[in-house]
Amino acid sequence: AYIPQSDTYIEKDSSINDAIDKLRHSATRSLLTRRDVLIVASVSCIYGLGSPDEYRNMHLFFAEGEDLPLEEVKRRLVTMLYERNDYALERGTFRVRGDVLEIVPPYEEDRLVRIEYFGDTVERISIVDPLRGEVLGRQPQLTLFPGSHFVTSREVLQRAIKTIKEELKERVAWFESQGRLLEAQRLEQRTEFDLEMIQELGYCNGIENYSRHLTGRRAGEPPPTLLDYFPDDFLLFIDESHVAVPQIRGMYRGDRSRKETLVEFGFRLPSALDNRPLTFEEFEARVSQVIYVSATPGDYELARAGGRVVEQIIRPTGLMDPAIEVRPASGQVDDLLEEIRKRMTRGEAVLVTTLTKRMAEDLTEYYEKLGVPVRYLHSEIDTLERMQLVQGLRRGEFSVLVGINLLREGLDIPEVSLVAILDADKEGFLRSERSLIQTCGRAARNADGRVILYADAVTPAMRRTIEETERRRRI
């Protein structure tokens, strides 16, 4: 990212989360080799990933008894972006010892493939534990996919280098015609360095920004994504769809805004704009069978369903939705204090939601002075620290967790017997019907679960929340 106002460039952290990269390779390999596949993905599935056709075409197939010269295999592995390392094998590397070839595929880390040769013939294919050297099993055939999703053949690479140079020439000339010599020099220096890396190694850091050239797409065409690796008849479940669908809608605009600044100031070629997430319309065109899953579906999902709504009251623990009580907002802090102390004597936990970060912090400070073990949770707290706070609440290190909008979907804490919603009658996003239902659901994991709405008036959102909860309790 680049911030023109302060002339601050934030370099991309090119380190790849190794575990996530392994799972990504495992997912694409499974999708290309079998039909019975279940993939769990975040909204990152709509981001550019590399052409499935090139990924599939660059595979290497081994079969026992078949001729496949070892020298040719070594050259192919390098082209497929595997690295040779005769000492320390890790994901995406291989080594050769005499007539034995050992490979660690990018989707493995605790198993390697050992291919034994007799002359130019594949004699045996084994799966081996790299630590103990023990053979775990035989495999008569093996399909090996590339070490990177952005792999391309040498012919495609040369074509891409040519078109990148042509675009660079045009863009540098445009900057110079505008008298912006700094941007022209910056772009030329960065792009030439990337081209040299691609020419010599077959890749460079940020190679995905040249994906339009590598895949031969026209300007503006959507990039290949994980969705393109699926067969046409795949089924998509969107969990918590009332949150996920708006996220999918917003990804394209946010990415576009950031990249336009990089292009405008010479950090990237204009073609980098096509390394992007799908627009919502492009996403819709790629999915045909969708099940939206939510306790509070949005208007879009209900309209798409066309009346085909299946209601599921799922109670794996046998517990009903919590009872809801409305109390006056005046004196809510002290009234809640009494309720908290009752729960503390029973060793139970309490969740409290406020409207602002300031109020969450002030309430936490006030209760701490009165001897209540309490913590607060809001968006400025790091993700890892949030997890530690939730785990601390479950272990009983403190009894009360105060939050704003993070105490909702996906937060399952059976120890919580009370959810208190302060200022429940202040209408808005945080006190909408969907938000209230989701927040109330945090108390549904405890047999004594209860919700208190502090309000001086019952708003339409509160009324619908109470009516829906009572309906589910009757069922």
Side-chain angles (χ1 to χ4, degrees), residues 46-48 211 217 220-223 225 252 255-256 259 272-279 282:
I46 68 170
Y47 278 76
S211 60
R217 289 179 289 124
E221 285 188 341
T225 66
Y252 172 78
D255 182 83
R256 180 87 181 184
K259 288 215 174 85
L273 294 171
D274 288 324
N275 169 44
R276 58 173 176 83
L278 301 175
T279 65
E282 291 164 349

CSV table of all heavy atoms in Angstrom, one decimal, residues 46-48 211 217 220-223 225 252 255-256 259 272-279 282:
chain,number,residue,atom,x,y,z
A,46,ILE,N,-12.4,-15.9,-3.5
A,46,ILE,CA,-12.8,-15.1,-4.7
A,46,ILE,C,-11.6,-14.3,-5.1
A,46,ILE,O,-11.7,-13.5,-6.1
A,46,ILE,CB,-14.0,-14.2,-4.4
A,46,ILE,CG1,-13.6,-13.1,-3.4
A,46,ILE,CG2,-15.2,-15.0,-4.0
A,46,ILE,CD1,-14.7,-12.0,-3.3
A,47,TYR,N,-10.4,-14.5,-4.5
A,47,TYR,CA,-9.2,-13.8,-5.0
A,47,TYR,C,-8.4,-14.6,-6.0
A,47,TYR,O,-8.6,-15.9,-6.1
A,47,TYR,CB,-8.3,-13.6,-3.8
A,47,TYR,CG,-8.6,-12.3,-3.0
A,47,TYR,CD1,-9.7,-12.4,-2.1
A,47,TYR,CD2,-7.9,-11.2,-3.1
A,47,TYR,CE1,-10.0,-11.3,-1.4
A,47,TYR,CE2,-8.2,-10.0,-2.4
A,47,TYR,CZ,-9.3,-10.1,-1.5
A,47,TYR,OH,-9.7,-9.0,-0.8
A,48,GLY,N,-7.7,-14.0,-6.9
A,48,GLY,CA,-6.9,-14.6,-7.9
A,48,GLY,C,-6.0,-15.7,-7.4
A,48,GLY,O,-5.3,-15.5,-6.4
A,211,SER,N,-0.5,-11.6,-13.3
A,211,SER,CA,-1.3,-12.7,-13.6
A,211,SER,C,-2.1,-12.5,-14.9
A,211,SER,O,-2.3,-13.5,-15.7
A,211,SER,CB,-2.3,-13.1,-12.5
A,211,SER,OG,-3.2,-12.0,-12.3
A,217,ARG,N,-5.1,-13.1,-20.3
A,217,ARG,CA,-6.5,-12.5,-20.3
A,217,ARG,C,-6.4,-11.1,-20.8
A,217,ARG,O,-5.4,-10.5,-20.9
A,217,ARG,CB,-7.0,-12.5,-18.8
A,217,ARG,CG,-7.3,-13.8,-18.2
A,217,ARG,CD,-7.8,-13.7,-16.8
A,217,ARG,NE,-6.7,-13.3,-15.9
A,217,ARG,CZ,-6.6,-12.3,-15.1
A,217,ARG,NH1,-7.6,-11.4,-15.1
A,217,ARG,NH2,-5.6,-12.1,-14.3
A,220,GLY,N,-9.5,-6.2,-17.7
A,220,GLY,CA,-10.8,-6.2,-17.1
A,220,GLY,C,-11.4,-7.6,-16.9
A,220,GLY,O,-12.4,-7.7,-16.2
A,221,GLU,N,-10.9,-8.6,-17.6
A,221,GLU,CA,-11.4,-9.9,-17.4
A,221,GLU,C,-11.1,-10.4,-16.0
A,221,GLU,O,-10.1,-10.2,-15.4
A,221,GLU,CB,-10.8,-10.9,-18.4
A,221,GLU,CG,-11.4,-10.7,-19.8
A,221,GLU,CD,-10.9,-11.8,-20.8
A,221,GLU,OE1,-9.9,-12.5,-20.4
A,221,GLU,OE2,-11.6,-12.0,-21.8
A,222,PRO,N,-12.1,-11.2,-15.4
A,222,PRO,CA,-11.9,-11.7,-14.0
A,222,PRO,C,-10.7,-12.7,-14.0
A,222,PRO,O,-10.5,-13.5,-14.9
A,222,PRO,CB,-13.2,-12.4,-13.7
A,222,PRO,CG,-13.8,-12.7,-15.0
A,222,PRO,CD,-13.4,-11.6,-15.9
A,223,PRO,N,-10.0,-12.7,-12.9
A,223,PRO,CA,-8.9,-13.7,-12.7
A,223,PRO,C,-9.4,-15.1,-12.4
A,223,PRO,O,-10.5,-15.2,-11.9
A,223,PRO,CB,-8.1,-13.1,-11.5
A,223,PRO,CG,-9.2,-12.5,-10.7
A,223,PRO,CD,-10.2,-11.9,-11.7
A,225,THR,N,-9.8,-18.2,-10.0
A,225,THR,CA,-9.9,-18.3,-8.5
A,225,THR,C,-10.1,-19.7,-8.1
A,225,THR,O,-10.2,-20.6,-9.0
A,225,THR,CB,-11.0,-17.4,-7.9
A,225,THR,OG1,-12.3,-18.0,-8.4
A,225,THR,CG2,-11.0,-16.0,-8.4
A,252,TYR,N,-14.1,-6.4,-3.7
A,252,TYR,CA,-13.6,-5.8,-5.0
A,252,TYR,C,-13.3,-4.3,-4.8
A,252,TYR,O,-12.2,-3.9,-5.2
A,252,TYR,CB,-14.6,-6.0,-6.1
A,252,TYR,CG,-14.3,-5.3,-7.4
A,252,TYR,CD1,-13.3,-5.8,-8.2
A,252,TYR,CD2,-14.9,-4.1,-7.7
A,252,TYR,CE1,-12.9,-5.1,-9.4
A,252,TYR,CE2,-14.5,-3.4,-8.9
A,252,TYR,CZ,-13.6,-4.0,-9.7
A,252,TYR,OH,-13.2,-3.3,-10.9
A,255,ASP,N,-10.1,-3.6,-2.6
A,255,ASP,CA,-8.9,-4.0,-3.2
A,255,ASP,C,-8.6,-3.0,-4.4
A,255,ASP,O,-7.4,-2.6,-4.6
A,255,ASP,CB,-9.0,-5.4,-3.8
A,255,ASP,CG,-7.8,-5.9,-4.5
A,255,ASP,OD1,-6.8,-6.4,-3.8
A,255,ASP,OD2,-7.7,-5.8,-5.7
A,256,ARG,N,-9.6,-2.6,-5.1
A,256,ARG,CA,-9.4,-1.7,-6.2
A,256,ARG,C,-8.9,-0.3,-5.7
A,256,ARG,O,-8.0,0.2,-6.3
A,256,ARG,CB,-10.8,-1.5,-6.9
A,256,ARG,CG,-10.7,-0.5,-8.1
A,256,ARG,CD,-10.4,-1.3,-9.4
A,256,ARG,NE,-10.3,-0.4,-10.5
A,256,ARG,CZ,-10.1,-0.8,-11.8
A,256,ARG,NH1,-9.9,-2.1,-12.0
A,256,ARG,NH2,-10.0,0.0,-12.8
A,259,LYS,N,-5.1,-0.6,-4.9
A,259,LYS,CA,-4.3,-0.8,-6.1
A,259,LYS,C,-4.2,0.4,-7.0
A,259,LYS,O,-3.2,0.6,-7.7
A,259,LYS,CB,-4.7,-2.1,-6.8
A,259,LYS,CG,-4.4,-3.4,-6.1
A,259,LYS,CD,-4.0,-4.5,-7.1
A,259,LYS,CE,-3.6,-5.7,-6.3
A,259,LYS,NZ,-4.7,-6.6,-5.9
A,272,ALA,N,-1.8,-4.7,-12.9
A,272,ALA,CA,-2.0,-5.2,-11.6
A,272,ALA,C,-3.4,-5.1,-11.1
A,272,ALA,O,-3.8,-5.8,-10.1
A,272,ALA,CB,-1.0,-4.5,-10.6
A,273,LEU,N,-4.2,-4.2,-11.6
A,273,LEU,CA,-5.6,-4.0,-11.2
A,273,LEU,C,-6.4,-5.2,-11.5
A,273,LEU,O,-7.4,-5.4,-10.9
A,273,LEU,CB,-6.2,-2.8,-11.9
A,273,LEU,CG,-5.6,-1.4,-11.6
A,273,LEU,CD1,-6.2,-0.4,-12.5
A,273,LEU,CD2,-5.9,-1.1,-10.1
A,274,ASP,N,-5.9,-6.1,-12.4
A,274,ASP,CA,-6.7,-7.3,-12.8
A,274,ASP,C,-6.3,-8.5,-11.9
A,274,ASP,O,-6.8,-9.6,-12.1
A,274,ASP,CB,-6.5,-7.6,-14.3
A,274,ASP,CG,-7.2,-6.7,-15.2
A,274,ASP,OD1,-8.3,-6.3,-14.8
A,274,ASP,OD2,-6.7,-6.3,-16.2
A,275,ASN,N,-5.3,-8.3,-11.0
A,275,ASN,CA,-5.1,-9.3,-9.9
A,275,ASN,C,-5.9,-8.8,-8.8
A,275,ASN,O,-5.6,-8.0,-7.9
A,275,ASN,CB,-3.6,-9.3,-9.5
A,275,ASN,CG,-3.4,-10.1,-8.3
A,275,ASN,OD1,-3.9,-11.2,-8.1
A,275,ASN,ND2,-2.6,-9.5,-7.3
A,276,ARG,N,-7.1,-9.3,-8.7
A,276,ARG,CA,-8.2,-8.8,-7.9
A,276,ARG,C,-9.2,-9.9,-7.4
A,276,ARG,O,-9.2,-11.0,-8.0
A,276,ARG,CB,-8.9,-7.7,-8.6
A,276,ARG,CG,-9.6,-8.2,-9.9
A,276,ARG,CD,-10.5,-7.2,-10.5
A,276,ARG,NE,-11.0,-7.6,-11.8
A,276,ARG,CZ,-12.1,-8.4,-12.0
A,276,ARG,NH1,-12.8,-8.8,-10.9
A,276,ARG,NH2,-12.6,-8.7,-13.2
A,277,PRO,N,-10.0,-9.6,-6.4
A,277,PRO,CA,-11.1,-10.5,-6.2
A,277,PRO,C,-12.2,-10.3,-7.2
A,277,PRO,O,-12.2,-9.3,-7.9
A,277,PRO,CB,-11.6,-10.0,-4.8
A,277,PRO,CG,-11.1,-8.6,-4.7
A,277,PRO,CD,-9.9,-8.5,-5.5
A,278,LEU,N,-13.1,-11.3,-7.3
A,278,LEU,CA,-14.2,-11.2,-8.2
A,278,LEU,C,-15.2,-10.1,-7.7
A,278,LEU,O,-15.3,-9.8,-6.5
A,278,LEU,CB,-14.9,-12.5,-8.2
A,278,LEU,CG,-14.2,-13.8,-8.7
A,278,LEU,CD1,-15.0,-15.0,-8.5
A,278,LEU,CD2,-13.7,-13.6,-10.1
A,279,THR,N,-15.8,-9.5,-8.7
A,279,THR,CA,-17.0,-8.7,-8.3
A,279,THR,C,-18.1,-9.6,-7.9
A,279,THR,O,-18.1,-10.8,-8.1
A,279,THR,CB,-17.4,-7.8,-9.5
A,279,THR,OG1,-17.9,-8.7,-10.5
A,279,THR,CG2,-16.3,-7.0,-10.1
A,282,GLU,N,-19.6,-11.3,-10.8
A,282,GLU,CA,-18.8,-12.4,-11.3
A,282,GLU,C,-18.9,-13.7,-10.4
A,282,GLU,O,-18.9,-14.8,-10.8
A,282,GLU,CB,-17.3,-12.0,-11.4
A,282,GLU,CG,-17.1,-11.0,-12.6
A,282,GLU,CD,-15.8,-10.2,-12.4
A,282,GLU,OE1,-15.1,-10.3,-11.4
A,282,GLU,OE2,-15.4,-9.5,-13.4
